[in-house]
Amino acid sequence: MIPILEVVDLHAAYGRIEVLRGVDLRVPKGAVVALLGPNGAGKSTLIKVISGQMRPTSGEIHMAGVHVKGAGPDELARLGLTTVPEGRSVFPNLTVAENLRLVSYAGVPAAQVYDTAYTYFPRLHQRQDQLAGTLSGGEQQMLAMARALASDPALLLLDELSMGLAPLIVEELYRTVAQIAESGVSILVVEQFARTALAVSDHAAVMSGGRIVATGEPDEIGRQMADVMLGGAA
Ligand code: ATP
């Protein structure tokens, strides 16, 4: 079967410094793939390139078999790719409901946006009139994910979902990631090292120094990473 995402020999640089040095990665349709790796490995840069925010220097990106290298974020969104960037992107001075309503301006009926958001994240329903800036970090992440889901993506890119969050809330978020995957959405989730991410993944890959250095079953990758990294096991 054609993968939902296939990256072939991708290179990218900031000025003269090459940060992606020949990345190969596949996300099969309907799968959750965890992309792990230490600080500075190039994970966020890979997400930026895949999501059209940064141009690669060479290589190929295919979505559902379509060559998309060079496509901008809007075109990629039309093809079904949505990103939840590192650091959550909510509007702090708007309420939860207003943050969601903004997505509906992109053409999705408001009722569908609210319905999807509140089904996956009932807590957002209780807090619909609260300013997003006053939500907890975990709730802001829920809102960022809810906004991303509103466009009914085929492939969701999640960058550092667990950053700065307590383990219990991370587990709750990943339970929802599993539910989202069950509904048929393919997911690429990027984390430094989170056992919770591996627990909901079908495949895992490890990035280091701008390359994928290992791929395999989540259990096996988890064991390998535990050997090479100290702590950090959310
Ligand atoms: P982290 O887990 O810490 O977010 P990462 O694996 O996501 O790390 P990247 O953020 O992709 O790594 O960074 C890869 C390398 O590129 C790092 O050495 C970083 O310093 C460098 N880098 C990232 N953004 C820029 C930028 N805008 N300009 C110059 N160098 C950058």
Side-chain angles (χ1 to χ4, degrees):
M1 194 163 61
I2 297 171
I4 185 80
L5 177 72
E6 183 159 35
V7 169
V8 183
D9 196 21
L10 200 65
H11 290 251
Y14 295 104
R16 286 196 195 153
I17 301 172
E18 194 172 42
V19 173
L20 301 185
R21 300 192 293 153
V23 175
D24 295 298
L25 185 69
R26 279 166 73 95
V27 178
K29 260 189 194 140
V32 180
V33 174
L35 177 65
L36 310 177
N39 264 324
K43 306 180 300 295
S44 294
T45 304
L46 179 61
I47 294 289
K48 278 191 221 159
V49 173
I50 294 172
S51 60
Q53 299 165 60
M54 179 175 166
R55 291 187 75 87
T57 39
S58 64
E60 289 174 24
I61 305 172
H62 301 270
M63 253 199 80
V66 179
H67 191 211
V68 295
K69 192 182 86 174
D74 292 346
E75 194 179 341
L76 289 166
R78 277 194 294 279
L79 288 167
L81 181 139
T82 306
T83 307
V84 178
E86 189 176 333
R88 302 146 210 155
S89 52
V90 300
F91 294 97
N93 296 322
L94 298 181
T95 65
V96 167
E98 286 165 347
N99 265 277
L100 293 170
R101 197 175 318 134
L102 279 184
V103 190
S104 75
Y105 294 143
V108 188
Q112 183 186 319
V113 175
Y114 293 133
D115 188 49
T116 308
Y118 299 152
T119 302
Y120 281 116
F121 302 105
R123 214 193 290 193
L124 292 180
H125 194 204
Q126 293 158 17
R127 297 179 179 275
Q128 57 184 325
D129 297 322
Q130 189 173 326
L131 290 180
T134 66
L135 295 172
S136 72
E139 289 161 354
Q140 289 190 20
Q141 189 61 271
M142 291 175 192
L143 182 55
M145 287 168 71
R147 285 165 49 91
L149 286 173
S151 59
D152 197 15
L155 173 64
L156 196 58
L157 304 184
L158 300 173
D159 196 1
E160 302 257 1
L161 207 64
S162 68
M163 189 190 274
L165 302 179
L168 274 181
I169 191 87
V170 173
E171 271 175 35
E172 186 181 337
L173 287 170
Y174 272 106
R175 273 197 295 277
T176 309
V177 168
Q179 286 169 6
I180 295 166
E182 273 164 28
S183 78
V185 180
S186 311
I187 299 176
L188 176 63
V189 51
V190 170
E191 290 279 4
Q192 284 192 23
F193 178 42
R195 286 183 192 284
T196 342
L198 286 171
V200 305
S201 299
D202 302 297
H203 308 281
V206 182
M207 195 166 182
S208 179
R211 291 196 181 91
I212 303 293
V213 294
T215 56
E217 295 294 313
D219 283 355
E220 175 55 24
I221 293 293
R223 276 192 291 276
Q224 288 179 21
M225 295 226 27
D227 288 342
V228 293
M229 293 181 80
L230 291 172

